[in-house]
Amino acid sequence: MEKIGESELILNPDGSVYHIKLRPENIANDIIVVGDPGRIERISRHFDKVEFKIHNREFITHTGTYKGKRVSVVATGIGPDNIDIVINELDALVNIDLEKRVIKEKHTTLNIVRLGTSGALQPEIAVDTAVMSSHGMGFDGLLDYYKVEKGIFEDDISEAFMKHSGWLPQLPYPYVAKCSPYLLNKIGGEGDFHVGITATAPGFYGPQGRVLRLPTAIPDLNEKLETFSYKGNRITNFEMETSALYGLSALLGHNALTVCAIIANRIRKEFSSDYKKFVDVLVEKILNSLIS
Ligand code: R1P
Ligand code: URA
């Protein structure tokens, strides 16, 4: 088997992978990922004990046990570009022999749950409630750089959305990737979550239809998102990582699910008065259902 070159899979002098600075023994198979590095401690403070901590750039990892079960929490930082780094490096830790630099014969599947924050795109989804993403709809273009066989993504939803929204030719193809049905069942059984398609944007302002001083290319983008419906699927919320997480996990053979605390309602123009309180509620729910 061909060796993966030193410039392609970069290892630090201690043998850890380049950005997230982890070695294979530092991670659990059940992983919670969050955008905000400040959320790591809010999660790991619930652990029985933390066995390992590392911090490099925006990437922080704590690994420990929760009620006796091994769990890792990893901060990705904001955006699909960071998800590309974190998911490829996590996958390398379990599916590549780092010493020999070859792909392992036996594949390991990770369970990856993103616990994020998000803006609702439906008026009835109130702030301080949670949305579970059945699909990620990517406006970010990340998955266009990978070879994707037909049938992996939900192209019928993409086509219907492009028609409905008057999608512009200069914007990336809005690919749609599904969550893991296994994790949807496992985590969804525990709590009362809204479920829907999550739109993933490559920015917080223009790409999510926010106008401060700059007008946007599709002025009524959020109205188009709110009114889209395809075979009972509606777009529920906006954030910045899920499509990349679902797309890469589908290609690499990992289970992925996003659950987000709704901190803003973009249609009603409301923002939570203290969103971290609800994030704390969600942290306990997710930890308990993940280890169950
Ligand atoms: C934007 O403020 C950030 O918050 C959301 C978005 O996806 C983006 O990363 O998620 P996190 O709270 O997990 O960072
Ligand atoms: N995160 C986002 O990306 N958008 C929002 O509106 C809120 C949180």
Side-chain angles (χ1 to χ4, degrees), residues 97-134:
D97 180 326
L98 299 183
E99 275 170 26
K100 295 191 181 129
R101 296 184 162 276
V102 293
I103 296 169
K104 289 182 181 170
E105 269 174 28
K106 190 174 171 298
H107 178 269
T108 297
T109 300
L110 298 170
N111 294 320
I112 306 169
V113 177
R114 168 169 149 71
L115 200 167
T117 62
S118 180
L121 287 162
Q122 298 296 334
E124 75 280 8
I125 300 182
V127 296
D128 301 328
T129 65
V131 170
M132 198 151 64
S133 310
S134 59

Side-chain angles (χ1 to χ4, degrees), residues 33-36 39 77-79 114-118 204 208 238-241 260 263:
V33 295
V34 300
D36 179 2
R39 204 170 299 140
I78 291 180
R114 168 169 149 71
L115 200 167
T117 62
S118 180
F204 189 79
Q208 293 188 31
F238 242 147
E239 50 76 271
M240 298 177 61
E241 290 82 18
C260 280
I263 65 172

Side-chain angles (χ1 to χ4, degrees), residues 87 107 112 143 147-148 151-154 176-180 242-256:
I87 299 304
H107 178 269
I112 306 169
L143 267 292
K147 185 176 168 192
V148 182
I152 295 199
F153 294 158
E154 312 294 302
V176 176
K178 269 196 299 204
C179 75
S180 147
T242 294
S243 60
L245 172 65
Y246 285 9
L248 289 173
S249 297
L251 299 185
L252 290 165
H254 300 299
N255 296 321

